[in-house]
Amino acid sequence: MQKSNYIRSIIASLGAMMICGVTMAHAEGMKFGYVDMKSAVENTADYQMGMKRLKSLQAQKVKELQALGEKISKSEKDLLGQSMAMSPDRLAQKQQALKSMRTDFQRKQQDAQEALSAEKNRLDISIGTKFQKVISSYGKQGKYDIIMQKPAFLYVDPKHDVTADITKLLDAKK
């Protein structure tokens, strides 16, 4: 993640320099392009498959947590209905068991959130690494002087948009 922040700051700096020297850049014949990074990445087959896996994992975790939540709810109802007929020791045991179930539920909920977050981070890192390689190769092969990230400017002529090319290259790179 630190590498992507570094790259973004370089892109922003280059963008600022370019704003100041657009006239000079055209006079010298510089070639530049821009990429809507979010669109380029999110429209790749790898990203979409990764998100499908992530949603499947999320659905599995939700199902597990719902089952445990229902078990807790049933135990609470049973305890409430039977508490008057139980001995104090038995009531304390049931309350402790219920407390353990709630603690287990919270742990599993936190574990599920961490697993989903870790999977999303793996996907982002994988796609981000691939994106960096593709954009560098594309820039060198196309003899670009600068390729900027789209939100860096208020307006850029659409003829400089290379997002679709980058998305195709990301899909082609396995």
Side-chain angles (χ1 to χ4, degrees):
M1 285 306 181
Q2 190 177 23
K3 185 177 179 181
S4 67
N5 288 338
Y6 173 72
I7 291 168
R8 284 189 182 124
S9 67
I10 288 175
I11 290 171
S13 297
L14 289 173
M17 289 187 315
M18 200 157 162
I19 287 173
C20 296
V22 169
T23 307
M24 186 176 76
H26 285 297
E28 294 180 22
M30 287 183 72
K31 185 175 180 183
F32 66 97
Y34 71 90
V35 175
D36 181 341
M37 185 175 168
K38 184 176 187 287
S39 174
V41 167
E42 289 179 358
N43 288 313
T44 63
D46 284 350
Y47 185 84
Q48 290 174 4
M49 284 186 344
M51 289 305 292
K52 219 179 251 190
R53 278 193 313 272
L54 190 63
K55 287 180 183 187
S56 175
L57 179 62
Q58 182 181 22
Q60 175 190 345
K61 298 292 183 185
V62 165
K63 188 176 180 180
E64 291 171 8
L65 288 170
Q66 282 176 338
L68 186 55
E70 289 170 6
K71 186 177 176 183
I72 291 170
S73 182
K74 184 182 181 318
S75 294
E76 287 172 340
K77 287 178 186 175
D78 290 347
L79 181 62
L80 188 62
Q82 299 170 1
S83 64
M84 298 304 274
M86 287 184 197
S87 69
D89 287 342
R90 183 72 178 140
L91 181 60
Q93 284 177 336
K94 290 282 192 177
Q95 287 173 333
Q96 184 59 39
L98 191 56
K99 183 179 178 184
S100 289
M101 287 172 67
R102 286 185 188 124
T103 301
D104 187 42
F105 179 83
Q106 289 173 342
R107 277 193 204 117
K108 287 185 182 212
Q109 192 174 33
Q110 184 175 358
D111 289 347
Q113 288 172 344
E114 288 172 3
L116 291 169
S117 180
E119 185 64 27
K120 178 69 166 102
N121 284 340
R122 276 192 290 277
L123 176 62
D124 289 345
I125 289 169
S126 170
I127 298 288
T129 300
K130 193 180 198 184
F131 180 85
Q132 285 305 109
K133 289 177 183 174
V134 164
I135 202 79
S136 292
S137 174
Y138 183 85
K140 287 176 186 172
Q141 288 177 357
K143 299 186 189 309
Y144 283 86
D145 294 298
I146 297 172
I147 298 178
M148 301 163 286
Q149 191 170 341
K150 184 179 178 184
F153 298 98
L154 296 174
Y155 174 79
V156 177
D157 191 330
K159 72 181 179 185
H160 300 293
D161 188 354
V162 296
T163 303
D165 294 339
I166 299 303
T167 300
K168 286 177 192 169
L169 288 171
L170 284 167
D171 275 339
K173 190 170 183 86
K174 294 293 175 190

